[in-house]
Amino acid sequence: MKHPYLILTSLLISLLGSCTGNGEKADGYGNFEATEITISAEANGKILFLDAEEGNVLAQNKVVGVIDTVQLSLKRDQLLASKNTIFSKSRNVLSQREVLKEQLKVAQNDRARVENLLQAKAATTKQLDDINGQINIIKEQIKSVETQNSPIINEIKSIEIQIRQIEDQINKSVIQNPVKGTVLVKYAEPNEITAFGKPLYKIANLEDMILRVYISENQLSKLKIGQEVSVKIDAGEEMKSYPGVVSWIAESAEFTPKIIQTKEERVNLVYAVKVKVRNDGSLKIGMPAEMWIATKTNEE
């Protein structure tokens, strides 16, 4: 019968050893993570429907929900009615301007005839002066009418801006999923009242997972961005291996996180490394994994 101390020592060696059985240890230890995005409401009101169940894979730009837009639609209709009313005022002013322009044409034609008669000495200078005075009066009247129309046009532009704001709020009441991914958490349900900025659901793209591992300064020279490495997870009594690519290496060191072990067994300072791994469906957020730098001694 083996001594208990020898049994405990054997267990520790087996836990720290690699899956190849050669006594080697992984070059880095860490956990999988993904970029999680919290989708929040951009409008206020009752949620009419929200099709974003946990575990569902949503396509980008898919409509997953609608917030009640009745009040916004009524406000838009009110603004459209006001715009039409103000337009009618503008049309009345512009019709006055058109009448004055016709009068100006007639007066200008009369002046041309008087000028011809004056050359033939069949008209007097006073007649020409009277026509010129009449033309100047009509021009001033036209300017006055156009001045009256300016504030009306500005008011119409102001209402058009308000209408665009309302239409933007109506568009944002339609909840579109911004990125392709899997729903992780659902925070709201249909018939609930939501408000601007209130979380509706959380989503993450789980097709490509990120393994964040920590390495010592001595290992830093063995890694570079774009380098292929091997990532391994527990799979029963054996280890399952995935190809990975180093996507990021920290520029500065940090103190070793409590949950992380390194090749030198808890060195004081380590560098964070991100490894991109294609997910076959087995990888989950928070799952522990090992990183192996591809060398001749540890390749399978």
Side-chain angles (χ1 to χ4, degrees):
M1 182 175 180
K2 291 185 179 181
H3 194 279
Y5 176 77
L6 295 176
I7 296 175
L8 179 59
T9 303
S10 300
L11 289 174
L12 289 174
I13 293 174
S14 63
L15 288 172
L16 295 175
S18 68
C19 65
T20 59
N22 57 11
E24 292 185 357
K25 295 190 303 181
D27 296 286
Y29 301 85
N31 299 83
F32 282 107
E33 58 186 38
T35 302
E36 300 178 6
I37 301 175
T38 300
I39 311 302
S40 301
E42 296 185 85
N44 303 322
K46 180 187 289 187
I47 301 174
L48 299 182
F49 84 91
L50 182 61
D51 184 16
E53 300 301 325
E54 295 178 1
N56 285 0
V57 178
L58 303 180
Q60 185 177 14
N61 296 326
K62 178 184 178 181
V63 175
V64 296
V66 172
I67 299 173
D68 186 18
T69 60
V70 172
Q71 295 301 318
L72 292 174
S73 298
L74 293 175
K75 179 66 175 178
R76 180 183 59 184
D77 293 342
Q78 182 182 13
L79 289 171
L80 288 171
S82 299
K83 178 182 175 181
N84 292 332
T85 301
I86 297 172
F87 254 133
S88 63
K89 295 180 181 179
S90 179
R91 284 193 292 268
N92 291 335
V93 173
L94 293 177
S95 63
Q96 296 177 24
R97 184 184 66 178
E98 295 303 315
V99 171
L100 291 171
K101 284 184 175 182
E102 289 299 321
Q103 293 178 1
L104 179 62
K105 289 181 181 179
V106 173
Q108 289 173 336
N109 291 333
D110 291 341
R111 181 176 63 182
R113 284 193 294 268
V114 170
E115 288 175 343
N116 292 331
L117 291 173
L118 187 60
Q119 290 178 357
K121 296 183 179 180
T124 64
T125 304
K126 183 179 183 303
Q127 289 176 311
L128 180 61
D129 292 340
D130 291 341
I131 291 296
N132 285 331
Q134 184 180 356
I135 289 174
N136 290 334
I137 291 173
I138 294 174
K139 287 181 177 179
E140 291 299 322
Q141 289 176 337
I142 292 174
K143 290 181 181 179
S144 176
V145 169
E146 289 177 343
T147 302
Q148 295 175 19
N149 193 51
S150 295
I152 297 176
I153 296 300
N154 291 336
E155 190 174 356
I156 291 174
K157 289 181 179 178
S158 175
I159 291 179
E160 287 177 342
I161 291 174
Q162 295 179 58
I163 292 173
R164 288 199 296 270
Q165 290 175 336
I166 294 295
E167 289 176 343
D168 179 64
Q169 293 179 31
I170 291 176
N171 291 334
K172 289 179 177 178
S173 296
V174 179
I175 305 167
Q176 284 187 305
N177 184 56
V179 294
K180 180 181 179 181
T182 303
V183 178
L184 303 178
V185 185
K186 185 178 182 182
Y187 299 111
E189 295 292 341
N191 297 317
E192 290 184 358
I193 303 299
T194 189
F196 182 87
K198 184 177 180 181
L200 299 175
Y201 62 94
K202 182 184 291 185
I203 192 170
N205 186 352
L206 302 183
E207 291 184 354
D208 291 304
M209 301 290 288
I210 297 296
L211 175 64
R212 181 188 289 268
V213 299
Y214 295 87
I215 63 173
S216 67
E217 186 176 2
N218 294 335
Q219 297 169 287
L220 195 60
S221 61
K222 300 178 182 179
L223 284 178
K224 62 181 180 180
I225 295 177
Q227 179 177 338
E228 294 184 359
V229 295
S230 180
V231 173
K232 299 179 181 181
I233 63 172
D234 292 326
E237 296 180 356
E238 299 180 352
M239 300 285 285
K240 186 175 181 180
S241 182
Y242 294 84
V245 177
V246 177
S247 60
W248 174 81
I249 300 175
E251 295 182 358
S252 57
E254 58 184 283
F255 287 104
T256 310
K258 294 181 180 179
I259 62 171
I260 300 300
Q261 295 180 356
T262 64
K263 198 169 186 179
E264 284 75 15
E265 292 296 332
R266 308 290 302 163
V267 294
N268 290 330
L269 293 175
V270 292
Y271 290 82
V273 175
K274 290 183 179 180
V275 179
K276 187 176 181 180
V277 182
R278 190 70 176 177
N279 191 3
D280 62 355
S282 300
L283 306 181
K284 311 296 181 183
I285 295 176
M287 177 183 289
E290 302 175 354
M291 180 195 72
W292 294 72
I293 301 175
T295 62
K296 293 182 178 180
T297 58
N298 62 23
E299 288 180 349
E300 292 183 348

